[in-house]
Amino acid sequence: MNERISAPWIPLWVPASGHALRHAGIHFDAVRVKGAVGERVAAELMAATGFDAGPVVQEFAGDRNMYFLLPPQTASAHHWPPGARALTRGHGCLAYVGVPALTGVTWPLGWRSVPSRERPFVDGELLSRIVSAHPIVSRR
């Protein structure tokens, strides 16, 4: 008897190869935190979730931003201190976030934590608490 082998669960907004821009507020909202602070926030989020934080995209060039992906239309429900920027769809506001494929060459983007069936998004409440605990200097 042959068992049907199912493909792993992958959100439709994750490209098959390379990377692609996705409109924030449609498939997900994002919270951007820059540089070393973003890396510390990601490390604390990973530790707090047993290393299953949901989707976190990191940049390896430029400001080395960290993008925490939340369910669509939810980022504005939380307070974000200066230096953490919510990217969503709003009144006259358009934002795009680069999303890497799960495998292959995706430079200058990569996954700090991948989406999973159990955690398709980052917990916004938890992320808000962690971000608010860090002194962040705003440089827009």
Side-chain angles (χ1 to χ4, degrees):
M1 177 179 186
N2 291 333
E3 290 184 37
R4 181 178 175 170
I5 299 172
S6 61
W9 179 85
I10 300 172
L12 295 175
W13 43 267
V14 174
S17 63
H19 52 78
L21 290 176
R22 299 292 188 236
H23 189 179
I26 302 292
H27 302 288
F28 53 78
D29 280 1
V31 175
R32 181 182 69 203
V33 182
K34 291 185 179 181
V37 175
E39 290 180 25
R40 286 193 303 272
V41 168
E44 287 184 34
L45 182 66
M46 294 292 287
T49 59
F51 297 92
D52 187 17
V56 179
V57 175
Q58 61 185 1
E59 289 179 336
F60 297 112
D63 287 333
R64 301 181 64 86
N65 293 318
M66 203 66 75
Y67 295 88
F68 302 87
L69 307 186
L70 281 59
Q73 302 297 304
T74 63
S76 59
H78 304 283
H79 170 74
W80 304 106
R85 182 163 183 210
L87 303 172
T88 187
R89 189 175 181 188
H91 305 290
C93 178
L94 293 176
Y96 293 87
V97 176
V99 177
L102 293 177
T103 61
V105 178
T106 62
W107 193 89
L109 302 174
W111 289 102
R112 175 78 160 110
S113 177
V114 297
S116 67
R117 185 182 310 273
E118 294 76 27
R119 291 241 193 201
F121 298 105
V122 169
D123 178 335
E125 183 70 33
L126 176 60
L127 178 64
S128 178
R129 284 195 310 267
I130 292 171
V131 168
S132 294
H134 285 274
I136 300 175
V137 177
S138 179
R139 292 182 330 159
R140 288 186 185 198

